[in-house]
Amino acid sequence: AILSAVDKGFTDTMRSADKSMGGLDKNTQKTNASILDIAKGVGVFKLVDAGIGMVKNSMDGAINRFDTLNKYPVVMEALGYSTQEVDKSMNKLTDGIEGLPTRLDDIVANTQQLAISTGSLDKGTDTAIALNNAFLASGASSDAASRGMEQYRQMLGRGEVDMQSFKSVQETMPIAMDKVAKSFEDRGVTSVNELYDALKDGEITFDEFNDRLIELNDGVGGFADLAQKNSKGIKQSF
């Protein structure tokens, strides 16, 4: 794998060497065959191919992350936000994911979409951070969080809920949804189901729901606090 990283022709070189041994005496050929059998047995050639693939995938990922981060200020400025507003957003996002298993380019991409949905870069930034913490606080996987984020963004953009999207969000951040629901106790809501009914009937707007999510993100026992506690472990330490 190390050789493949510095010499992509390693596999071809080995095959050429094998071919060149064809004219040697039988004993030498047997030795050569044994060496190749050992190499195949320990998966040397598979390791070489895997090593090349790993390097390529890492490069592709790095390029995608660079492009996302590089486009963010350009796109947001094109939407009418100042350089100072974009810098403020980026600094807040960087601080918001400190100590969490969240890539900056991922949350930047989500912020861009949420800013469009809310019509505000400040609110889009705060929403992205609160949602990211809410998913992590509930132990959602990356795929689940991505699905929940997309469903949430669609409801936020429309300003109304639908059962399928609401259930998807509830499944991916159950702890957060329960906390948000109970925070509306003064509005007659004591459960997630009652929260859905209130949102569906317009008794609570989705903007109010979103504002409450942001509000519950900070403080002791908030989503940010829970996300940090739920993300501690050997993998995250590395």
Side-chain angles (χ1 to χ4, degrees), residues 2-11 13 48 52:
I2 294 170
L3 283 168
S4 73
V6 297
D7 181 7
K8 292 186 178 180
F10 176 69
T11 304
T13 302
V48 169
I52 292 171

Side-chain angles (χ1 to χ4, degrees), residues 16-178:
S16 296
D18 176 32
K19 189 175 181 181
S20 70
M21 298 292 281
L24 300 179
D25 60 57
K26 290 183 179 180
N27 288 332
T28 306
Q29 286 184 34
K30 287 180 181 178
T31 302
N32 182 43
S34 298
I35 292 171
L36 288 173
D37 287 341
I38 292 170
K40 290 174 183 176
V42 298
V44 167
F45 297 108
K46 289 182 180 179
L47 283 172
V48 169
D49 290 337
I52 292 171
M54 183 174 66
V55 172
K56 181 180 180 298
N57 291 336
S58 295
M59 284 299 296
D60 288 344
I63 290 169
N64 289 336
R65 287 191 289 276
F66 177 83
D67 284 346
T68 299
L69 296 173
N70 198 41
K71 289 176 184 176
Y72 182 59
V74 177
V75 172
M76 299 318 294
E77 286 172 22
L79 292 174
Y81 297 103
S82 68
T83 302
Q84 289 76 17
E85 288 176 305
V86 176
D87 286 345
K88 178 183 176 184
S89 170
M90 186 64 81
N91 289 332
K92 187 180 286 188
L93 291 172
T94 303
D95 292 340
I97 63 172
E98 180 67 29
L100 299 175
T102 303
R103 292 202 321 235
L104 183 58
D105 61 306
D106 284 342
I107 199 167
V108 161
N110 290 331
T111 300
Q112 185 171 303
Q113 295 299 319
L114 289 166
I116 294 171
S117 297
T118 60
S120 166
L121 181 54
D122 277 342
K123 183 165 283 191
T125 302
D126 290 339
T127 302
I129 293 171
L131 279 172
N132 184 61
N133 287 330
F135 290 131
L136 292 174
S138 297
S141 66
S142 298
D143 290 341
S146 179
R147 185 178 78 252
M149 177 70 75
E150 178 61 22
Q151 296 298 326
Y152 188 93
R153 187 184 63 78
Q154 289 180 11
M155 290 191 290
L156 184 61
R158 293 194 306 266
E160 58 185 26
V161 298
D162 65 86
M163 180 59 78
Q164 183 177 350
S165 296
F166 190 84
K167 278 190 173 182
S168 181
V169 173
Q170 182 183 354
E171 289 169 0
T172 51
M173 54 178 204
I175 293 176
M177 290 293 282
D178 183 65

Side-chain angles (χ1 to χ4, degrees), residues 180-191 194-195 197-199 201-209 211-212 215:
V180 172
K182 290 177 179 176
S183 73
F184 282 109
E185 191 173 4
D186 60 329
R187 306 278 286 274
V189 174
T190 58
S191 68
E194 289 178 355
L195 175 61
D197 292 337
L199 287 166
D201 295 339
E203 296 173 10
I204 297 173
T205 68
F206 205 88
D207 280 342
E208 289 178 308
F209 170 80
D211 288 341
R212 189 59 58 88
E215 181 184 327

